[in-house]
Amino acid sequence: MEAKQKYILAVDQSTSGTKALLVDRQGEVTARSSLEHRQIYPQPGWVEHDPLEIYENVKACIREVLRQTNVTAAELAVLTVTNQRETAVMWDSVTGRPVYNAIVWQCQRTAETCERLKDEGHEKRVRSKTGLLLDPYFSAAKFKWILDHVEEVPLLLQEGRLLAGTMDSWLVWKLTGGKVHATDYTNASRTSLFNIHTLQWDEEMTALFGVPASLLPEVKASDAVVGYTGDDSLFALPVPIAGIIGDSQGALFGHLCFEPGTAKATYGTGTSVLMNVGEKPVDGGEGLVTAIAWGAGGKVTYALEAVIRSSGDSIKWTRDNLGLFSTFEEMQQLVGGLSSNEGVYLIPAFVGLGVPYWEPSARAAIVGMNRGTGKAHILRAALESIAYQVRDAVEFMEERSAMPLRGLRTDGGASSNPWLMQFQADILGHAVTRSTCPELSAMGSVYLGGMAIGLWPDLQQIAADKEFYETFQPAMNEQLRESNYSGWKNAVRSIINQ
């Protein structure tokens, strides 16, 4: 890293929006910019994004942080990317245009395909090779849907013009001016097409899902330099691109969870509870996902993950669809005015239920209402549902993994809510350590990008340099804790057993 190259530029492309961060040599964020993008719902249970809108937002956010700071391309040491995982994009390599909207990880349109493959007895083989369940959450069936349903695709496939990938691949391809089609181990490991043992695209899996391997990107380590920027509308000079990592794994790295047994929960649109299990993959049993945590320093680290489909999205729903509050301060005041939930529970199965239920056909419900129920109760129920689902995930992970958790660290939008963090500690019966850094996923990619260019020599140096946490201790008595949790379990059973 030359002296004039003072900054790392991080792109954080999430389900709801895009951020750009400018980070200095000390790992401090000096500027940030963000933009939301449209959530497209063509049919019930279907969720899409416009990849071109997202790329334009990426460019706008980059330009804004550079404008704020007057930083030039010559001062950028590296550009890093962390991204929403599993979202599937397919595009024409000649025109640079997507052939269809990105199919988002939440989308349930491929549920029947996954059920058919399960019924045919393929799930055990899929899990043994990829670490993943046969579930519409993952990318492969989404790629297949585009291949089967978009009119222009067969001709593009025949002419060798078709490319496919997750959101990181799309952004890297666009940022490099169409010169590089690449992804990293973490994103590849979420497609159901990547063998997490051999670290290659798996011929059996690509055949099973009907996705030609020729469409897929080259897979690199998370700390590899994958290429250089080539979009002349952004930078006058080429900037190396490195530190590619899926957002949840990025948060695990950003939390400095470098030791086996350390874990984090990222509260985003959904919530991912991810635990480092070391340099060998661990079969977490049915319901848990085995994934690659990162590839760095010449080694691959594995993780177990419990997936929660809707968490922060539930709060957004109460605001945008129901109009129950305008500001988060207003929500905090309403929820803080209640001494209990009064038996009201919200089960946020807007796109099915994830761990430990794995019921893609389940639908959301509010149960336990009475004539006195008001908007404060529904808001509280929405917040509580996040904490209950995390407890579900933690207990399931401990039960199946044979590796006790060594502590839970939290991040993401909803973690900024002190009421929720205290309730999370209360309902878990364990201390919850919250990061005071609001962009852990981005910082994970920053640390990896910094390692790629020699800014940080190793993981230990990063861990020694950073300390930004606050801890919430449980204060609820055990009887009330278990009564609340029992009410949640009963509420979930009421919608699953309909």
Side-chain angles (χ1 to χ4, degrees):
M1 187 175 184
E2 298 179 15
K4 66 179 180 178
Q5 295 172 332
K6 302 175 183 177
Y7 299 99
I8 295 173
L9 175 63
V11 172
D12 182 352
Q13 202 298 294
S14 73
T15 309
S16 58
T18 298
K19 292 180 187 175
L21 306 177
L22 200 63
V23 182
D24 65 19
R25 285 171 174 257
Q26 287 70 49
E28 300 297 327
V29 178
T30 62
R32 57 173 55 82
S33 176
S34 64
L35 287 170
E36 291 189 355
H37 56 260
R38 290 176 299 142
Q39 305 297 315
I40 303 166
Y41 306 104
Q43 295 184 29
W46 291 28
V47 191
E48 298 176 0
H49 294 154
D50 179 351
L52 288 174
E53 178 190 5
I54 287 175
Y55 184 59
E56 289 304 314
N57 285 357
V58 166
K59 292 198 293 183
C61 289
I62 288 174
R63 290 184 183 120
E64 175 59 20
V65 294
L66 298 181
R67 185 199 65 79
Q68 290 175 22
T69 56
N70 292 318
V71 167
T72 66
E75 297 174 278
L76 297 176
V78 65
L79 187 156
T80 75
V81 177
T82 186
N83 57 285
Q84 55 169 314
R85 305 170 306 163
E86 298 95 14
T87 295
V89 190
M90 200 171 288
W91 65 96
D92 181 342
S93 64
V94 174
T95 65
R97 298 189 66 82
V99 299
Y100 189 81
N101 278 336
I103 302 180
V104 180
W105 58 270
Q106 298 166 304
C107 187
Q108 294 296 298
R109 77 185 65 190
T110 60
E112 287 186 10
T113 299
C114 294
E115 284 301 319
R116 175 178 57 78
L117 292 172
K118 281 184 189 178
D119 292 342
E120 293 172 359
H122 295 294
E123 183 162 51
K124 185 176 180 181
R125 190 65 173 155
V126 171
R127 286 192 58 234
S128 70
K129 287 194 161 193
T130 70
L132 306 179
L133 307 170
L134 264 174
D135 190 89
Y137 188 88
F138 305 108
S139 313
K142 304 179 195 299
F143 292 137
K144 177 60 172 169
W145 189 95
I146 297 174
L147 288 168
D148 287 346
H149 290 84
V150 178
E151 185 177 351
E152 65 184 296
V153 158
L155 180 59
L156 294 177
L157 185 60
Q158 182 181 338
E159 294 179 353
R161 293 169 53 171
L162 203 60
L163 296 177
T166 43
M167 191 57 71
D168 60 304
S169 304
W170 164 248
L171 294 182
V172 166
W173 194 84
K174 294 294 282 186
L175 287 166
T176 60
K179 293 182 177 66
V180 175
H181 187 35
T183 188
D184 88 303
Y185 291 141
T186 68
N187 283 292
S189 79
R190 308 299 292 190
T191 62
S192 300
L193 302 172
F194 189 71
N195 190 313
I196 62 173
H197 309 281
T198 65
L199 304 180
Q200 294 177 332
W201 298 117
D202 191 272
E203 289 184 10
E204 184 181 1
M205 294 298 104
T206 56
L208 177 65
F209 286 97
V211 180
S214 60
L215 309 186
L216 300 173
E218 183 180 0
V219 186
K220 305 258 192 174
S222 312
D223 65 348
V225 175
V226 300
Y228 293 81
T229 57
D231 185 335
D232 296 337
S233 69
L234 272 178
F235 305 115
L237 299 171
V239 177
I241 301 174
I244 312 295
I245 190 167
D247 54 9
S248 192
Q249 284 97 325
L252 189 71
F253 200 92
H255 270 301
L256 316 179
C257 290
F258 302 146
E259 298 300 321
T262 53
K264 67 89 204 177
T266 295
Y267 301 81
T269 302
T271 291
S272 163
V273 184
L274 202 62
M275 181 172 71
N276 182 331
V277 296
E279 293 178 22
K280 294 182 179 179
V282 172
D283 183 355
E286 185 177 352
L288 286 176
V289 168
T290 304
I292 294 176
W294 51 75
K299 298 178 181 179
V300 171
T301 298
Y302 292 87
L304 282 178
E305 180 170 16
V307 174
I308 298 165
R309 296 181 184 278
S310 295
S311 53
D313 192 45
S314 307
I315 307 304
K316 190 174 182 181
W317 176 75
T318 63
R319 182 193 67 186
D320 297 348
N321 293 56
L322 302 187
L324 298 187
F325 70 98
S326 298
T327 66
F328 290 107
E329 290 77 14
E330 180 187 0
M331 178 185 69
Q332 187 85 4
Q333 187 174 7
L334 284 165
V335 171
L338 296 177
S339 58
S340 77
N341 63 20
E342 297 183 15
V344 178
Y345 291 87
L346 187 155
I347 305 95
F350 298 105
V351 287
L353 284 173
V355 68
Y357 312 104
W358 289 106
E359 290 283 351
S361 61
R363 288 296 173 258
I366 301 171
V367 302
M369 292 189 291
N370 58 56
R371 188 62 183 83
T373 299
K375 62 182 180 179
H377 298 90
I378 296 173
L379 286 173
R380 176 168 176 144
L383 280 172
E384 285 191 358
S385 73
I386 300 174
Y388 292 132
Q389 290 179 99
V390 170
R391 175 166 168 177
D392 283 343
V394 166
E395 291 192 349
F396 192 67
M397 186 175 282
E398 288 180 316
E399 175 190 339
R400 295 298 183 102
S401 69
M403 181 178 291
L405 288 169
R406 294 177 56 183
L408 184 69
R409 293 183 172 183
T410 66
D411 67 278
S415 72
S416 63
N417 186 308
W419 188 95
L420 174 60
M421 290 298 94
Q422 183 58 55
F423 189 79
Q424 184 71 83
D426 287 342
I427 213 66
L428 275 176
H430 294 285
V432 169
T433 305
R434 175 176 71 178
S435 170
T436 57
C437 173
E439 290 105 359
L440 259 293
S441 297
M443 291 309 297
S445 75
V446 164
Y447 296 153
L448 285 160
M451 287 174 62
I453 59 170
L455 178 58
W456 293 289
D458 52 39
L459 304 183
Q460 287 68 33
Q461 184 63 47
I462 297 172
D465 284 351
K466 296 294 163 192
E467 190 61 48
F468 32 66
Y469 295 99
E470 59 179 304
T471 300
F472 294 80
Q473 298 289 349
M476 184 180 290
N477 68 65
E478 185 175 358
Q479 183 178 357
L480 180 57
R481 174 186 306 126
E482 296 311 313
S483 174
N484 281 334
Y485 188 57
S486 176
W488 161 257
K489 299 294 275 189
N490 289 335
V492 172
R493 278 192 289 270
S494 74
I495 72 161
I496 289 178
N497 297 329
Q498 287 179 346

